[in-house]
Amino acid sequence: MTSNTGTSVSRVVVIGGGYAGVMAANRLRLDPSVDVTLINPRPDFVERIRLHQLVTGSDDAVVDFATVLHPDVRLVVDTAERIDAADRSVALASGGTVSYDHLIYAVGSNAGPSTVPGVGEFAYSVTEFEDAQRLRRAVDARPCDAPITVVGAGPTGLEMAAELAEQGRTVTLVGDAIGPYLSEPGWRAVAKRFRRLGVRTVEARVAEVRADAVLLADGRRLDSAVTVWTAGFAVPDLAARSGLSTDAIGRLRTDETLTSVDDDRIVAAGDAAAPSGQPLRMSCQAAGPLGAQAADTVLSRIAGDRPAPLDQAFAGQCISLGRDAGIIQLARRDDTAIPVFLSGRAAAWVKERVCRGTIWALAREARRPGSYLWLKGGRRPAQPALDEMAVS
């Protein structure tokens, strides 16, 4: 494609307007000759790390794309149905198509199916914006003393349980392991907060979810007017449906430059990327740097340069425990937790600044493409990538 001035224009399509996709779209504007289109199913940017706040009404969890997206990025509000790698086009749910020279695959993650009976029929998710809205309506429709069970005790479950309990709700948190990422001292601090909030914790496997109860594998029955399911995340099946190579749960398989193993014009970022079969932990903390590096890979290919390999690290995990407390669990750069943490009101203050800072970083990259920096030197996370999304 050529512009009116005769300059060659590269068309880059980004699928997914989450943390990774928006970061990638903004950074691509480092090269003014690149024409960038962002495809996203919603007209607003969703702050996934605030969805538990949407449920309780302390935040609406949305930001206008005009705040975080470069003005020269074209936003297409639609759903990508299929990628035609041979034709270099994306088929949309509306019936249209968008052509590309390079594509960034940043579709994020979702709740995914569960093999536990009753989850699909009776449990509520908090993974997507619409899920959180449905959960909020369900909670609001029940009396304050109605029992609520949160299943899954990773960051999302911890945050959701605390947020509900802080409003005076009767909450039970169930998980195979409670706070598996946390260090032992870190978990003790969380347990102390839960005791103050009245959150009951049950370490057990769930065997079945019913309309009014959760049945545990050991035979116990927990009354539950509302059951919230936060146990595990999956990814959309767009790559698999498009005939691209994926890992066992559908993440796009890439090399160390985030380039698809099938097509060097397709690059992945965020939760749906599986570089060298060793994906990073699903998280906002990973998404921003992955988006920036995916954009850098595409820009290198457009310029005819060799893309740089993936290089990023983790710093830990920020978990809110209601509006008045939180925990900042520190970690080595390889994402291994260490027995050092910050808790209480100070941690809540830090977590809120992290949430605001994430939006600030996207907005700054929109104004000044290439300004975003990230922690490096810890390429591999220590734990499996099927983790929670809900942190820094």
Side-chain angles (χ1 to χ4, degrees), residues 157-167 194 197 199 320-322:
L158 297 176
E159 291 193 325
M160 192 71 262
E163 204 78 22
L164 290 165
E166 195 176 58
Q167 289 203 327
F194 278 173
L197 291 173
V199 176
S320 65
L321 299 172

Side-chain angles (χ1 to χ4, degrees), residues 28-320:
L28 286 166
R29 293 301 302 161
L30 270 168
D31 184 345
S33 71
V34 174
D35 179 78
V36 186
T37 298
L38 178 69
I39 301 171
N40 192 64
R42 302 177 192 86
D44 295 303
F45 177 84
V46 174
E47 291 188 84
R48 289 187 69 181
I49 56 178
R50 289 195 188 272
L51 287 179
H52 59 290
Q53 292 182 248
L54 170 62
V55 174
T56 58
S58 65
D59 200 280
D60 62 9
V62 294
V63 175
D64 192 322
F65 267 119
T67 301
V68 296
L69 194 61
H70 192 287
D72 291 336
V73 174
R74 181 167 70 107
L75 175 64
V76 174
V77 181
D78 211 326
T79 300
E81 289 290 334
R82 188 175 184 277
I83 301 166
D84 187 332
D87 188 49
R88 294 181 195 163
S89 65
V90 180
L92 304 175
S94 63
T97 60
V98 180
S99 297
Y100 66 83
D101 297 306
H102 298 270
L103 182 141
I104 294 181
Y105 186 80
V107 298
S109 58
N110 54 33
S114 173
T115 58
V116 175
V119 171
E121 296 86 351
F122 303 119
Y124 294 85
S125 171
V126 71
T127 309
E128 303 281 359
F129 181 72
E130 295 78 10
D131 296 335
Q133 288 181 314
R134 284 190 289 271
L135 176 56
R136 180 175 181 176
R137 291 192 292 269
V139 170
D140 288 347
R142 269 69 171 187
C144 192
D145 61 351
I148 298 176
T149 303
V150 178
V151 181
T156 305
L158 297 176
E159 291 193 325
M160 192 71 262
E163 204 78 22
L164 290 165
E166 195 176 58
Q167 289 203 327
R169 296 285 177 173
T170 302
V171 180
T172 298
L173 178 67
V174 180
D176 292 345
I178 310 295
Y181 180 90
L182 299 172
S183 64
E184 182 61 31
W187 164 240
R188 287 198 298 268
V190 172
K192 182 178 179 181
R193 170 65 174 171
F194 278 173
R195 285 193 296 272
R196 288 179 178 172
L197 291 173
V199 176
R200 175 190 177 194
T201 60
V202 177
E203 195 163 316
R205 185 172 60 84
V206 172
E208 183 181 353
V209 176
R210 296 181 180 175
D212 61 351
V214 171
L215 305 186
L216 304 181
D218 59 13
R220 283 179 290 173
R221 181 186 190 276
L222 304 176
D223 290 339
S224 185
V226 177
T227 300
V228 187
W229 194 266
T230 72
F233 288 83
V235 299
D237 64 351
L238 176 60
R241 283 191 283 112
S242 301
L244 298 169
S245 297
T246 63
D247 70 2
I249 72 161
R251 287 173 293 228
L252 187 68
R253 291 181 56 233
T254 77
D255 63 14
E256 284 295 289
T257 70
L258 299 174
T259 303
S260 165
V261 297
D262 302 310
D263 188 329
D264 64 7
R265 290 179 178 266
I266 298 177
V267 176
D271 292 351
S276 303
Q278 299 183 58
L280 278 73
R281 169 162 55 87
M282 289 181 174
S283 63
C284 171
Q285 186 178 169
L290 284 169
Q293 291 173 100
D296 288 349
T297 290
V298 170
L299 292 173
S300 293
R301 293 197 183 281
I302 291 172
D305 299 329
R306 173 176 292 199
L310 176 63
D311 184 9
Q312 72 181 80
F314 287 83
Q317 204 160 59
C318 301
I319 301 172
S320 65

